[in-house]
Amino acid sequence: MKKITREHIVASALRVLDEEGFDGVTMRRLADELGIKAASLYNHVRDKDELLGLMADAISAELPTFDHAKPWREQAEEMAKAIRRVLKKHRDGARVMAATPPAGPNRLRAIEQLLEALTKAGFPRSTVPDVAFLMSSFIIGFVLDETMGQPGDAASARRRQKEALRWMKSLPPAEFPHLVSLAGELVGSQADRRFELGIRALLDGFDRLRSV
Amino acid sequence: MKKITREHIVASALRVLDEEGFDGVTMRRLADELGIKAASLYNHVRDKDELLGLMADAISAELPTFDHAKPWREQAEEMAKAIRRVLKKHRDGARVMAATPPAGPNRLRAIEQLLEALTKAGFPRSTVPDVAFLMSSFIIGFVLDETMGQPGDAASARRRQKEALRWMKSLPPAEFPHLVSLAGELVGSQADRRFELGIRALLDGFDRLRSV
DNA sequence: ACCTGAACACCGTTCAAGT
DNA sequence: ACCTGAACACCGTTCAAGT
């Protein structure tokens, strides 16, 4: 086998993540993937939390860099979509980010870029961290919700959705009239459209904070 | 001891949650709290997932009811603040909601009320589920982020914050100029103000969707 | 009907022992 | 320096056995 390095471990961990999901990433399963024993991992990584942090940073490395030429609004919307795309590229990617503090060079670099863009866009200094934080938690929250309880493969995801629809339609309509009549729209996610609606609403709302 | 009922179990589980946090809610610890053995819990609850669902619904029961007389904007903002308050009332409350599908009568009742309010507010039928979903994931995402990695007691939370501040200020300013200069505003959360800013931006953005 | 002891198949992590 | 076996203190869950 190849030599075991930190990078090698993190790459394997992301592979396990994609195959087994967040709960499937165990030190033992990861060691198997690498052809070593679980105890050996502790020669390269302090503990599982550090490993998760490294995974989060590896995911953050896939984020594209900002194009500072474009107008801020377009920039921010594209950045938001790119973040969502990267979070969805790895199974339970949003859970990894949510479970992990925003440290690590790649993640910090992404935050720095966002702060830079917001400053250039004319947001007052004191609101720049607010807007950055809110964009981040909005995106992570959305993808978390969007992918919650969904198995990896698309087939069983669709089966689950059908089940949820049938269940929601069977609720007592006297008590839950809107829930029942909107069941189709509630479970049939159209997540892309919904995300765009949300990020645009949020950015529109932020826009009036700008002084330039 | 008292007779063991489902309600009794859920109440104890919430007590354990507040004391030990999300990861501390184990079947064994909960059984201890009730003065029984872990295996006995399975006479009352299918598995841990069902228990978490019941906990989420018990938390949802604490939500106030909507005041349909007030204008929608005020209504929605108050509802959002109330949800955040309830999520923060129990340690890791947001994690319980995020880990759990939106079933359970109390939670459904809250969603139904929100759908009702949005419909009355004049949102087109097809956007009502979008706005409801987006408000929910925004709030849960915010509180999740806000309370992440925070220990229960306020003292150690403040200690952690000081540490984070010192760490961020020690970053290389050439690479992370905004991160370093905004360190104070980034870690000193002022979460209440930040949440208001966010929910208002989001609701302002939604407002132009209304047709009434 | 409900509780228990014991077991099964897992976890993260430590540590002395090997090379 | 890095890997291993074995152990420790946990998990969720099942099931035959008790009352």
Side-chain angles (χ1 to χ4, degrees), chain B residues 21-35:
Chain B
F22 189 86
D23 294 327
V25 180
T26 69
M27 300 303 266
R28 285 166 155 94
R29 172 72 177 79
L30 173 56
D32 273 356
E33 185 86 4
L34 289 160

Side-chain angles (χ1 to χ4, degrees), chain B residues 21 35 40 45 49-50 53 59 61 65 80 88 93 97 100 111 119 125 129-131 133 162 171-172 180 185 203:
Chain B
S40 308
V45 135
D49 273 348
E50 186 179 67
I59 293 175
T65 53
K88 290 186 67 171
M97 302 304 280
T100 254
I111 298 173
T119 302
R125 183 186 146 80
D130 295 326
V131 172
F133 180 100
K162 286 223 168 193
L171 289 173
V180 172
E185 289 86 341
L203 295 176

Side-chain angles (χ1 to χ4, degrees), chain B residues 136-151:
Chain B
S136 160
S137 70
F138 171 80
I139 298 167
I140 293 175
F142 185 93
V143 178
L144 221 44
D145 220 344
E146 172 187 17
T147 56
M148 245 311 290
Q150 297 301 13

Side-chain angles (χ1 to χ4, degrees), chain A residues 45-78:
Chain A
V45 134
R46 189 160 10 103
D47 53 22
K48 194 179 176 180
D49 273 348
E50 185 179 66
L51 175 68
L52 285 170
L54 293 171
M55 291 168 69
D57 206 53
I59 294 174
S60 302
E62 301 181 43
L63 290 170
T65 52
F66 248 97
D67 179 359
H68 285 284
K70 290 188 185 163
W72 94 271
R73 187 66 174 61
E74 205 174 316
Q75 226 175 101
E77 195 172 320
E78 270 175 27

Side-chain angles (χ1 to χ4, degrees), chain B residues 54-139:
Chain B
L54 293 171
M55 290 168 69
D57 207 54
I59 293 175
S60 302
E62 301 182 43
L63 290 170
T65 53
F66 248 98
D67 179 358
H68 285 285
K70 290 187 186 164
W72 94 271
R73 188 63 175 63
E74 204 174 317
Q75 226 175 101
E77 195 172 318
E78 270 175 28
M79 189 52 155
K81 287 182 190 170
I83 294 173
R84 173 163 173 260
R85 206 178 312 120
V86 170
L87 290 183
K88 290 186 67 171
K89 200 178 145 198
H90 291 99
R91 170 128 81 123
D92 289 335
R95 265 182 88 181
V96 175
M97 302 304 280
T100 254
N106 294 306
R107 197 158 167 188
L108 289 180
R109 216 142 23 223
I111 298 173
E112 176 69 23
Q113 277 193 20
L114 181 56
L115 297 174
E116 160 80 9
L118 294 172
T119 302
K120 270 202 179 146
F123 283 95
R125 183 186 146 80
S126 72
T127 68
V128 167
D130 295 326
V131 172
F133 180 100
L134 288 162
M135 282 183 62
S136 160
S137 70
F138 171 80
I139 298 167

